């Protein structure tokens, strides 16, 4: 591995100053489960590794009084799925966090790193989109917020400027009678990259018989994870039944623009986008009904 400097600032201001000074030559280190491998394999070259794990805002998991959640960008997956309040209120986050790699990876890997690595197949991004999460970003000119669905711009690329970093992900409080779920398809049981993945969040009427609103996202079927707004809109105001859910699944499948590669063909991925969308809507409905 090439030599680089390691800096671990204690504040966001210091971190931003390092990024401003070094620009593209500096890279943020969260869990290191992507970046260390990329540097070791020569896929990335850098002068400074900026460890953000000593910055309180990047490592805090905060349940706000208003009911929302702020997940520090460097909080590891294991901390997320061991949090009882997250399990109760945001089970879809656990669906994602509990299958990113194995236990060793989960004790390092963060959702912030998963998002900033910006793989089209990343397993937390559809869930974050479905939950309506927002990126809290810091840079030399202050803070800004960006919906997760606008963050990834191309495979491995995102909306961060070289002197910006992701501080946290904020997720609104779940509404009454709401539920969400995530699933992926991989050719073996664990430790593989998704051939396709999908997440849905739904809010139901008080009696659980109709959809009030929904958000659906699919991954590994386009250059970036896709927010399929039309699929969620197709559910809003409709009764919860097979026909309505199949229509939303069809829309998600049609929105998919996959490639064929060693993991699966474009046709298989398009089919999977529909199948997984249907399944995550079904699970989200069960959770919204309190199952
Ligand atoms: C064996 C193995 C299995 C894996 N399995 C899966 C899997 O099943 N599903 C999946 O989605 N991924 C998987 N991954 C990939 C990886 O573990 C995840 O993407 C992980 O969430 C990355 O988080 P991290 O904290 O380790 O990120 P890091 O490696 O620290 O960072 C990743 C990238 O994001 C940037 N970055 C990190 N934090 C910030 C920040 N706060 N601000 C700005 N930029 C930042 C880094 O500079 C780097 O470019 C696997 C990796 C391995 C090695």
């Amino acid at each position: 591995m090439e030599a680089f400097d390691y800096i671990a600032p204690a504040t966001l201001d210091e971190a931003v100053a390092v990024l401003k000074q070094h620009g593209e030559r500096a890279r943020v280190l969260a869990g290191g489960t992507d970046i260390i491998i990329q540097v070791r394999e020569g896929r990335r070259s850098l002068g400074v590794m900026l460890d953000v794990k000593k910055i309180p805002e990047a490592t805090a998991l905060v349940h706000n009084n208003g009911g929302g959640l702020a997940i520090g960008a460097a909080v590891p997956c294991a901390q997320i799925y061991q949090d009882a309040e997250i399990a109760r209120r945001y089970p879809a986050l656990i669906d994602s966090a509990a299958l990113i790699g194995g236990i060793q990876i989960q004790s390092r890997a963060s959702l912030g790193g998963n998002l900033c690595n910006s793989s089209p197949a990343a397993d937390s991004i559809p869930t974050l989109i479905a939950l309506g999460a927002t990126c809290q970003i810091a840079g030399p000119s202050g803070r800004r917020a960006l919906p997760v669905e606008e963050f990834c711009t191309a495979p491995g690329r995102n909306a961060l400027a070289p002197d910006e970093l992701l501080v946290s992900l904020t997720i609104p409080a779940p509404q009454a009678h709401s539920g969400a779920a995530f699933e992926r398809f991989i050719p073996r049981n664990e430790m593989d990259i998704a051939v396709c993945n999908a997440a849905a969040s739904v809010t139901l009427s008080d009696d659980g018989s109709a959809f009030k609103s929904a958000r659906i996202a699919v991954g590994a079927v386009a250059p970036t994870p896709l927010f399929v707004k039309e699929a969620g809109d197709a559910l809003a105001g409709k009764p919860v039944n097979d026909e309505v859910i199949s229509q939303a699944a069809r829309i998600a499948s049609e929105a998919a623009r996959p490639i064929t590669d060693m993991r699966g063909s474009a046709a298989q991925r398009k089919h999977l986008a529909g199948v997984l969308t249907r399944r995550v809507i079904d699970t989200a409905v069960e959770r919204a009904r309190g199952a």
Side-chain angles (χ1 to χ4, degrees):
M1 196 190 286
E2 69 175 332
F4 53 77
D5 289 334
Y6 168 84
I7 303 177
T11 68
L12 268 180
D13 286 350
E14 287 172 66
V16 169
V18 171
L19 292 175
K20 194 165 161 39
Q21 184 186 350
H22 296 276
E24 302 270 8
R25 294 290 295 154
R27 291 301 297 196
V28 172
L29 173 79
T33 62
D34 279 317
I35 188 76
I36 301 273
I37 293 166
Q38 290 162 6
V39 174
R40 197 169 53 206
E41 291 178 350
R43 284 189 278 144
R44 253 189 215 287
S45 168
L46 49 79
V48 174
M49 192 78 95
L50 177 69
D51 188 344
V52 292
K53 289 191 295 301
K54 293 195 165 49
I55 302 173
E57 293 96 319
T59 53
L61 196 53
V62 181
H63 294 277
N64 295 312
N65 282 342
L69 174 67
I71 304 175
V75 170
C77 289
Q79 193 181 338
I80 290 168
Y81 65 64
Q82 285 167 5
D83 188 292
E85 196 61 5
I86 294 184
R88 192 174 68 79
R89 293 164 69 84
Y90 303 97
L93 277 179
I94 313 261
D95 295 340
S96 287
L99 54 67
I100 291 179
I103 286 173
Q104 292 96 331
I105 293 293
Q106 289 154 13
S107 59
R108 301 286 309 173
S110 62
L111 299 194
N114 196 242
L115 178 60
C116 292
N117 191 56
S118 303
S119 159
D123 283 317
S124 74
I125 304 179
T127 299
L128 292 169
I129 293 173
L131 293 175
T134 301
C135 305
Q136 305 297 334
I137 295 167
S141 36
R143 302 283 187 107
R144 68 183 176 107
L146 189 70
V148 169
E149 60 265 30
E150 293 173 24
F151 185 81
C152 298
T153 53
R157 307 192 79 83
N158 57 55
L160 288 178
D163 54 6
E164 288 184 318
L165 77 158
L166 180 71
V167 180
S168 62
L169 292 155
T170 50
I171 304 179
Q175 297 181 40
H177 310 293
S178 69
F182 169 85
E183 277 200 34
R184 74 174 176 187
F185 176 82
I186 55 174
R188 53 189 190 147
N189 283 338
E190 55 190 9
M191 300 282 250
D192 209 339
I193 295 172
V195 178
C196 179
N197 58 23
S201 82
V202 303
T203 301
L204 303 183
S205 56
D206 293 355
D207 66 358
S209 67
F211 292 101
K212 276 168 90 174
S213 62
R215 288 173 66 90
I216 288 162
V218 287
V221 292
T224 62
L226 284 183
F227 173 39
V228 193
K229 184 175 182 305
E230 320 78 68
D233 290 349
L235 296 175
K238 305 269 175 51
V240 178
N241 63 36
D242 270 2
E243 193 189 332
V244 168
I245 295 172
S246 296
Q247 171 65 3
R250 233 180 344 263
I251 294 172
S253 173
E254 279 161 15
R257 300 173 265 123
I259 55 166
T260 294
D261 66 11
M262 58 186 278
R263 288 198 172 73
S265 66
Q268 183 196 20
R269 286 190 156 104
K270 241 176 153 22
H271 174 70
L272 282 168
V275 171
L276 293 180
T277 297
R278 159 174 271 289
R279 286 186 193 169
V280 290
I281 296 171
D282 284 342
T283 306
V285 167
E286 280 172 25
R287 288 176 173 170
R289 288 174 171 166

